[in-house]
Amino acid sequence: MAESIVLAYSGGLDTSVACKWLQEERGYDVVCLTVDLGNLPDVEGAKRRGAEAGAKSVEFTDAREDFLRYFVFPALAANAVYEGQYPLATALGRPLIAKLLVDKAREVGATAVAHGCTGKGNDQVRFDVAIQTLAPDLTIVGTARENEMTRDEAMEYAAKHGISVRTTVESPYSTDENLWGRSVECGVLEDPWAAPPEDAYAWTKPLDRTPERPAHVEITFKEGFPVALDGEELGPVELVQRLSDLGGEHGIGRIDMVEDRLVGIKSREIYEAPAATILIEAHKALEALTLSKLQLRMKERVAQEYADLIYNGLWFSAHHRDLAAYTQSTQRHVSGDVRMRLWRGRAVPEGRRSDESLYSYELATYGSGDQFDQKAAAGFIKLWGLPVQVQAQRQLLREPGDPLHLAAPEE
Ligand code: ARG
């Protein structure tokens, strides 16, 4: 009897070809697994093409809620954003898909798992590292990495084996979607000087078609996680989907960047992440109110480290566990509301409040009711500036040249 393999299956041309190829060239029985992370898979089409491609079965898992609860929201709590811009939608989805592939392999007694990632990207790294960490005994087949078919060859292969190729025109881009965002690459985008054509975007309106008037939304966080919009408690899927739609309507969350892949190449990427953009801005605004300056400074450093480890496929690592523990600890008092203004491509915090706010009106006000002891400031400043004063007198003023313009101007 042939050994079984579980294939991460999108239902598109490439993974359908991969399904057939795994049988023909590698002799596997293929179980196709389609994971829904909010990318709205075409269930009927996937089933049909899977059957045409000879799959033993085509199975679906709705992982949307787990994706947000256990992958996206912890990353939001950390404000994890890669190279200052990318909220990591694709990168966050991979370890969960990998885990579900492994679970399915165990369930059906498969000896291998497969994915269709190319050999040039980050996604293969994320899948492989996660799979080999969770299940070192499973064989991993990267179909695109191993069969090196061009797009035309894949079409030919599909036609030859009776797999129906989509009647609609294939997108000129390579895209990946889930609830946290949409990633777009290839085609004309490979020229970093070329402006992204409007058809690269699917979720967000161009600024000349966004509403005249701003929209406002009040986001409630509980211990760092978003739990309600405009006072209405919502589950994660509903909450993120609503913000995504609303943000897209106002042209929020378009990102155009050149990023550094783990495999050493720079690539030009387009992202659409309306919900992520709004939530990260709102979360930061609430943290500014509820965390100390020292916590904020440390969190900023951790955010970068956190983003790198997600991007680089190290989700199931001890390093992640440790950073997650720190991040979670910081979120104990990050509860409250942020009112966001959404307008013309921007999501701007307009108001924030919390029962655990560190903002003290009595200390901050310039009006009556001021309780700040202004006289104490003089002594504080004397000591704060003391080392600067001593060093300037003993060293800087005696050095040749005067780059800081310390010396009194000559008459
Ligand atoms: N560059 C992004 C990342 O590494 C997105 C990858 C998108 N994948 C795709 N199949 N288009 O996370």
Side-chain angles (χ1 to χ4, degrees), residues 372-384:
F372 186 89
D373 181 359
Q374 297 202 35
K375 288 195 195 69
F380 164 74
I381 295 164
K382 188 120 194 90
L383 300 188
W384 171 250

Side-chain angles (χ1 to χ4, degrees), residues 86 90-91 122-123 126 174-176 183 185 259 269 271 311:
Y86 168 39
T90 297
N122 300 308
D123 289 329
R126 298 166 185 150
S174 161
T175 60
D176 179 68
S183 306
E185 16 178 65
E259 77 188 28
E269 307 273 336
Y271 299 107
Y311 189 86

Side-chain angles (χ1 to χ4, degrees), residues 14-147:
D14 294 313
T15 47
S16 298
V17 164
C19 175
K20 194 71 190 177
W21 182 86
L22 285 166
Q23 299 160 61
E24 297 284 304
E25 303 298 323
R26 296 293 162 92
Y28 283 112
D29 281 346
V30 184
V31 171
C32 291
L33 179 67
T34 301
V35 179
D36 182 4
L37 300 181
N39 40 315
L40 302 174
D42 162 19
V43 177
E44 286 319 308
K47 279 204 177 135
R48 182 169 39 84
R49 263 186 297 274
E52 289 167 356
K56 214 162 76 173
S57 62
V58 181
E59 308 189 22
F60 292 85
T61 305
D62 178 355
R64 291 175 302 162
E65 177 137 357
D66 283 353
F67 176 51
L68 293 175
R69 225 180 260 291
Y70 303 116
F71 292 78
V72 169
F73 286 176
L76 166 65
N79 301 317
V81 171
Y82 186 66
E83 293 188 334
Q85 297 193 74
Y86 168 39
L88 296 160
T90 297
L92 283 163
R94 299 317 188 187
L96 174 53
I97 297 172
K99 159 127 180 54
L100 294 169
L101 286 175
V102 168
D103 290 350
K104 184 55 73 181
R106 296 305 187 215
E107 184 192 317
V108 303
T111 56
V113 293
H115 59 70
C117 306
T118 72
K120 295 179 71 166
N122 300 308
D123 289 329
Q124 53 165 351
V125 182
R126 298 166 185 150
F127 275 128
D128 289 12
V129 171
I131 293 161
Q132 78 196 23
T133 300
L134 297 171
D137 57 300
L138 292 179
T139 301
I140 303 169
V141 181
T143 55
R145 222 163 36 190
E146 296 181 28
N147 69 26

Side-chain angles (χ1 to χ4, degrees), residues 211-251:
E212 286 290 318
R213 312 286 312 155
H216 295 86
V217 62
E218 198 179 293
I219 304 170
T220 303
F221 289 87
K222 191 158 181 265
E223 297 187 12
F225 280 20
V227 294
L229 296 182
D230 294 325
E232 181 185 353
E233 271 186 45
L234 295 171
V237 174
E238 177 77 19
L239 187 146
V240 170
Q241 189 62 59
R242 275 201 209 175
L243 283 179
S244 187
D245 294 343
L246 186 61
E249 192 60 27
H250 288 269

Side-chain angles (χ1 to χ4, degrees), residues 276-289:
T277 303
I278 298 167
L279 284 168
I280 291 167
E281 284 309 312
H283 180 251
K284 282 187 183 168
L286 187 59
E287 285 193 327
L289 193 69

